[in-house]
Amino acid sequence: MTNVLDAASPITLDEVLLTVERRREEFSAQKSVPMDVIEAFKKAGVYRAATPRRFGGDALPPSEFLRIVERISQVDASAGWVASFGSAVYLAALPLETQAALYSGGPDVVFAGGLFPVQKAERVDGGWNVAGEWKFSSGCRGADLIGVGLAGGEGTQGKPLTALLRPEQVEIVENWDVVGLQGTGSNDLRVHGQFVPDEWTFIRGGEPTVDEPLYRYPAIAYAAQVLAAVNLGTGRAALDYAIGAGSGRTGITGAPKLADRAYYRIDIAKAEAALLSARAFFYEISDEVYATVESGDSPTDKQKALLRLASTHVAKVGAAAVQAAYTLSGTAAIYDANPMQRYLRDASVVTQHAFLGDGIYDGAGAVLMDIPPSIPAFI
């Protein structure tokens, strides 16, 4: 990647990463990425990555944005997770007039969603009366726009709707008390009866109204990819730390330094090979599918399944790389001040996401063998 994410931006990605590195402990302590850091992400172009070009955005090819998330996550996984929602291609399913209003102040719009559990909403004239509580709204404190999940019906072919609200219409329930990804601020959302017009709702993963290549890319698969990329960065950070630590000091007992021990070199090399191999598969299938949609064709079911498979696989392999680095690091890694603790906690949370669970292997295997997958909306 080049330093500059957007030619007109006064802030480069490298400058943002220095800020993230300096303040990442603050993110965990406050359980959110502060607004001024979100503003820096905006200025660096992170939140225009999925904005249509017709509205002044960059509509980046997925692999370009995934590399941005990976780089940020290498410095801090929570910051990478929050930045990943710059991939909100779902919004392209809104009516064009709504998108024009949404981006009227500029293309850098921060979206956060609390989409589950989907709630039933009262149908009223011209829209919906929205009320209920939703979980896991990552980055909601820095959002310009918040989406909540509504149960679909006949008009949506059973698919859930997303209703969009302004932050002042939503109560944030401060209950993000977790061991990893603490800085994501993935709190619950509560809405006390707010009217949302039809034109500010969309079917999640529905047909886009914007005809640009990015919005022909599989939206659900992309949502999984941006989360999986966090563990690419975290795994890379952990291995880099272990490599540096192994090269630089003798053991506390006076034994030879770690790099002089065969088991250390062997396990580092195995973890490196596994991470780089999974990473290559991850980006290769992303570029293949984007080339397909860019040419005007629709991605095949197999391609969609491989996107999902690559995402789950890279999340698991990234976490395994962290675990390997932690184990090799010995006693020093048990101290809370050791960065390996942060890598271990963050990577373990990424793999718990429903989009990245072991069931995805089953779904992908089913598609590869021409069997209908049992997971709803898998492809």
Side-chain angles (χ1 to χ4, degrees), residues 130-163:
V130 176
E133 191 162 328
W134 295 262
K135 300 190 73 64
F136 304 124
S137 184
S138 300
C140 56
R141 286 221 159 272
D144 301 312
L145 188 70
I146 293 177
V148 296
L150 305 183
E154 291 183 8
T156 69
Q157 294 80 49
K159 296 179 180 179
L161 281 172
T162 298

Side-chain angles (χ1 to χ4, degrees), residues 107-367:
D108 305 296
V109 174
V110 182
F111 172 74
L115 305 178
F116 298 102
V118 294
Q119 303 285 356
K120 292 183 179 180
E122 178 190 6
R123 180 68 181 156
V124 294
D125 187 32
W128 303 86
N129 182 32
V130 176
E133 191 162 328
W134 295 262
K135 300 190 73 64
F136 304 124
S137 184
S138 300
C140 56
R141 286 221 159 272
D144 301 312
L145 188 70
I146 293 177
V148 296
L150 305 183
E154 291 183 8
T156 69
Q157 294 80 49
K159 296 179 180 179
L161 281 172
T162 298
L164 300 179
L165 300 112
R166 300 182 303 278
E168 60 268 23
Q169 294 178 288
V170 180
E171 176 189 355
I172 295 174
V173 182
E174 299 279 0
N175 60 354
W176 188 238
D177 187 13
V178 292
V179 297
L181 295 182
Q182 294 170 320
T184 64
S186 304
N187 296 293
D188 285 7
L189 303 175
R190 188 177 292 148
V191 178
H192 302 278
Q194 295 286 341
F195 173 70
V196 179
D198 284 327
E199 59 269 25
W200 286 90
T201 67
F202 61 90
I203 298 173
R204 189 162 176 257
E207 287 296 317
T209 57
V210 176
D211 185 20
E212 295 179 18
L214 178 60
Y215 312 105
R216 297 193 291 271
Y217 192 87
I220 301 295
Y222 194 24
Q225 283 187 287
V226 296
L227 303 179
V230 173
N231 262 9
L232 267 182
T234 307
R236 179 74 271 149
L239 285 180
D240 285 350
Y241 180 82
I243 290 167
S247 302
R249 60 177 174 79
T250 59
I252 60 174
T253 62
K257 66 182 180 180
L258 295 170
D260 290 334
R261 306 177 195 184
Y263 77 85
Y264 198 90
R265 298 192 300 269
I266 289 169
D267 284 355
I268 285 289
K270 286 181 177 179
E272 185 77 22
L275 186 66
L276 292 179
S277 297
R279 184 179 188 272
F281 171 34
F282 182 73
Y283 284 116
E284 180 181 289
I285 187 60
S286 181
D287 287 338
E288 177 187 314
V289 175
Y290 190 71
T292 297
V293 300
E294 198 171 30
S295 71
D297 295 328
S298 297
T300 66
D301 287 350
K302 180 181 177 181
Q303 286 178 318
K304 294 176 188 177
L306 288 175
L307 284 175
R308 301 296 303 272
L309 175 61
S311 298
T312 291
H313 188 59
V314 89
K316 305 285 188 187
V317 172
V322 174
Q323 182 65 59
Y326 169 79
T327 301
L328 288 169
S329 296
T331 307
I334 71 173
Y335 289 93
D336 197 47
N338 189 292
M340 204 62 73
Q341 282 293 318
R342 184 175 70 251
Y343 303 145
L344 192 66
R345 294 193 296 263
D346 290 342
S348 66
V349 174
V350 172
T351 59
Q352 298 302 102
H353 196 280
F355 278 2
L356 303 172
D358 282 352
I360 302 301
Y361 288 110
D362 177 45
V367 174

